Amino acid sequence: MSEHDARHDAEHDAEHDAHRMHVVHDGPPQAPPVLLIHGSGASGSSWNPLVPALAGPHHVVRVDLPGCGQSPPAESYDVPVLADRVARLLDGLGLRSVTVAGHSSGGYVATALAERRPDLVGALALVSTGPSSGALLPQPAVVRALTAPPFGALLWALRSDAMIRKGIGAMLARPVDVPDDVLADMRTTTYRAFRSVLRQFGAYLDERSVPERLTALDVPVLVVFGAADPRWEPSSAHQYDAVPRTRLVMLPGVGHVPLWEAPEETARLLLDFAARTAGTPPVTPQRA
């Protein structure tokens, strides 16, 4: 089998074990591990634009959280419960001191993982992760219509690809062609799961802000925030300035999804961060 074929097989190697989540691996299995956690209603495929750059020097692990993508629903969507599922995944893989990156609300699961299992998390990267409840901006009409009862459930069941694209577009500051596989994964997310996730993530923030939680941890942190984020007040990103061992990077002209709006810059930041925290030379992504 050629190296390309072996890597192709690895990219499509999926697991469903005690953690009951769909998992995809990319890159050399023995390379330093990077775990990617998606945001609300998305899936591991949302990280696709960054994977080619990250998978060269790293073993990249992408997970579909319960009720999202190809993972079955769960009885509980409490953030600590989700973090414990991810911990069981990493335990099963025998991974420690992982660089964990979370996009949007995936950053709450990543933070909870570091809180509950500091032995598993060597460094933490938060991309577009709102720091506190008060930083949330009024949501666009299309997003409110799809999520608010009593008609949200009906609209959710009837939503078309065009409606999903419109909802995604409301979160962006730059035009992006959303891939069909990302849309397909988003369509699998149920209304109940999405509403439950939003409610539990809100409860996690209400209990204590992310900067407060991170201050209690001894872990290097990278915060990447779009300077034109329409979901979270961009200036709120500076709440992270108070957290020791934290670097904040604001991306001009970028909205809530730097993974799609600025994939090369976001990949470079993650590669540099992972290399610095591991004490190895940074790797520059190669242009296709």
Side-chain angles (χ1 to χ4, degrees):
M1 179 183 293
S2 70
E3 180 178 352
H4 176 273
D5 290 337
R7 180 165 181 175
H8 179 83
D9 287 346
E11 288 174 349
H12 294 81
D13 178 25
E15 302 174 3
H16 284 91
D17 55 24
H19 52 76
R20 288 186 55 76
M21 294 184 297
H22 177 79
V23 182
V24 176
H25 300 267
D26 296 271
Q30 303 306 317
V34 171
L35 172 67
L36 306 178
I37 305 177
H38 62 82
S40 304
S43 69
S45 63
S46 64
W47 292 93
N48 282 354
L50 275 65
V51 169
L54 299 178
H58 293 282
H59 171 198
V60 177
V61 181
R62 285 179 289 164
V63 59
D64 288 356
L65 293 174
C68 298
Q70 300 181 52
S71 290
E75 292 184 4
S76 172
Y77 294 93
D78 289 357
V79 175
V81 173
L82 297 180
D84 288 346
R85 282 178 177 256
V86 175
R88 289 198 295 273
L89 161 66
L90 296 178
D91 283 336
L93 295 173
L95 299 178
R96 292 291 184 274
S97 298
V98 180
T99 297
V100 181
H103 172 243
S104 189
S105 55
Y108 306 142
V109 179
T111 301
L113 177 65
E115 289 178 306
R116 299 172 71 79
R117 291 291 305 276
D119 59 309
L120 297 179
V121 181
L124 194 59
L126 306 179
V127 183
S128 303
T129 298
S132 59
S133 298
L136 186 65
L137 293 171
Q139 298 306 287
V142 63
V143 177
R144 294 199 306 271
L146 283 169
T147 58
F151 301 112
L154 177 61
L155 288 175
W156 190 271
L158 298 175
R159 71 196 192 282
S160 63
D161 285 354
M163 187 177 293
I164 297 175
R165 289 181 189 276
K166 185 175 181 180
I168 294 172
M171 296 290 101
L172 309 175
R174 297 178 179 180
V176 170
D177 183 17
V178 181
D180 290 340
D181 59 340
V182 171
L183 284 177
D185 277 352
M186 287 185 168
R187 290 188 65 83
T188 66
T189 301
T190 67
Y191 178 76
R192 175 189 171 276
F194 189 70
R195 286 283 300 172
S196 298
V197 163
L198 291 182
R199 185 166 55 251
Q200 295 304 327
F201 286 155
Y204 183 75
L205 271 186
D206 288 341
E207 181 182 83
R208 195 154 42 123
S209 74
V210 181
E212 288 179 290
R213 294 174 182 277
L214 294 176
T215 299
L217 303 175
D218 182 25
V219 61
V221 179
L222 169 69
V223 175
V224 180
F225 225 88
D229 192 322
R231 180 167 175 79
W232 299 96
E233 170 55 51
S235 64
S236 71
H238 289 285
Q239 294 178 27
Y240 288 104
D241 289 338
V243 182
R245 305 181 69 188
T246 294
R247 180 192 179 198
L248 168 63
V249 179
M250 302 292 293
L251 299 179
V254 173
H256 188 62
V257 194
L259 316 183
W260 301 345
E261 299 175 78
E264 290 185 357
E265 176 68 4
T266 306
R268 185 190 64 78
L269 289 169
L270 291 178
L271 285 170
D272 181 68
F273 176 63
R276 291 179 185 278
T277 54
T280 57
V283 177
T284 302
Q286 298 298 313
R287 293 180 180 271

